[in-house]
Amino acid sequence: MLNINQQQVTLSHTSHGSLYGKGIYLVTLNNGKIEVSITNLGCTITAIHTPDREGALANIVAGYRHPGQYRQNDYYFGCVVGRYANRIAGGKFAIGHEQYQLSVNNGTNHLHGGVEGFHTKVWAITSFIRREKESGVMFEYLSPDGEEGYPGNMRVKVKYLLDSDNRLHITYHAVADKQTPVNLTNHSYFNLTGFDTPVITGHLLQLDAVQYTEKNAENVPTGNILSVAGTPLDFSKPARIGDGIDQFPADRGYDHNFILTHAGSKVIPAAILSDAGTGRILRVYTDKPAIQVYTANWWDGTIRGQQGQMYGQHGAVALETQSFPDSPNHSRFPNTLLSPGQAYDSWTTFEFAV
Ligand code: BGC
């Protein structure tokens, strides 16, 4: 175990065996109040321990008990999702006259990067960051030309940085040698009670969104942009997640893509999640144009999580900052094509408070 003591934020890492001949590590960032654990398997946040208003620490994200379990992370706990998060209709898109067929892994559609998306890869740890009042780790993955059907070699770097103000900054950087769609997110699921309460229906959610992308029965955008006003999707003011969660029987809860009004703002959060019982508050900031809210609708109580409890339906909520789903097939959606010579750069910050 390597232990690097920072002025305020410490960083340590431990080895957890290997997969495909590559070492699996758990990196821990600790600022004296909050501890974030990350494994290079899937570039995954495995735990975030934060204090409640009494100072009691709990892990507020869904995760497995051992890093090795992330090799079969079917619910995408905490991982980086890519190359393209969310769905691409039929797994098909065209760039110019060239047609592409991606792997299909969700009905007839491509979901979250395909059968072996970025969440299944053993990422390289390329550096540790040690600065005054912040510590972090940089991961890198080289996605080969044709992987899951995507064009071009793509080099992707993800940085996790914890600062002394209880903010976890995630930055994404990618370059490719052919035009390719890119949409990277982190798929952490939050339960601010640390799963002491097994459902998040009592949490309050506020979103910086007055519109959402309408979707069809297969969860693929129709192309229409609709207003949330007067619907159970109106989180423009804080609303109890449980109040509207039964209004979407086909989805079994919330699974919707909200368009952010102030994307890029470091002042106006994209999302604020809070739990009155523990006092914990999560604020999410991002430069991405949208956020997918998914309330763990298909969790079936068969996984015993890191906290010791079985994870059941509505056990947590994922707040996935991202571009609009299926953008490669909607010319009116914000561009998601990365061209050679350009860089994909994006950031999301999780801020923890009580
Ligand atoms: C998607 C859901 C999907 C889930 C899989 C979410 O990001 O929005 O539709 O079922 O990931 O865990």
Side-chain angles (χ1 to χ4, degrees), residues 175-233:
V175 289
D177 59 9
K178 286 184 190 160
Q179 273 204 313
T180 179
V182 188
N183 184 23
L184 301 172
T185 191
N186 177 278
H187 207 285
S188 289
Y189 291 91
F190 298 92
N191 177 324
L192 300 181
T193 73
F195 292 86
D196 277 352
T197 304
V199 289
I200 45 70
T201 44
H203 284 40
L204 292 183
L205 178 65
Q206 181 172 11
L207 299 173
D208 173 38
V210 292
Q211 293 181 310
Y212 69 104
T213 54
E214 186 191 43
K215 60 183 188 171
N216 65 21
E218 287 189 16
N219 262 326
V220 169
T222 61
N224 295 328
I225 307 290
L226 300 184
S227 167
V228 298
T231 80
L233 299 174

Side-chain angles (χ1 to χ4, degrees), residues 5 25 31 33 43 50 64 143-144 155 171 177-178 190-191 219 223 226 242 284 295 317 342:
N5 279 309
Y25 297 94
N31 69 0
K33 292 160 280 187
C43 200
T50 74
Y64 292 104
S143 171
R155 185 178 296 279
T171 52
D177 59 9
K178 286 184 190 160
F190 298 92
N191 177 324
N219 262 326
L226 300 184
V284 182
T295 47
V317 56
Q342 297 178 341

Side-chain angles (χ1 to χ4, degrees), residues 74-76 86-87 106 111-112 187 189 219 255 292 294 298 318 320 322:
D74 291 337
Y75 291 129
Y76 304 88
N86 219 315
R87 290 169 181 81
N106 184 252
L111 173 69
H112 288 343
H187 207 285
Y189 291 91
N219 262 326
D255 191 3
Q292 183 84 12
Y294 175 59
W298 297 93
E320 311 158 39
Q322 55 185 264

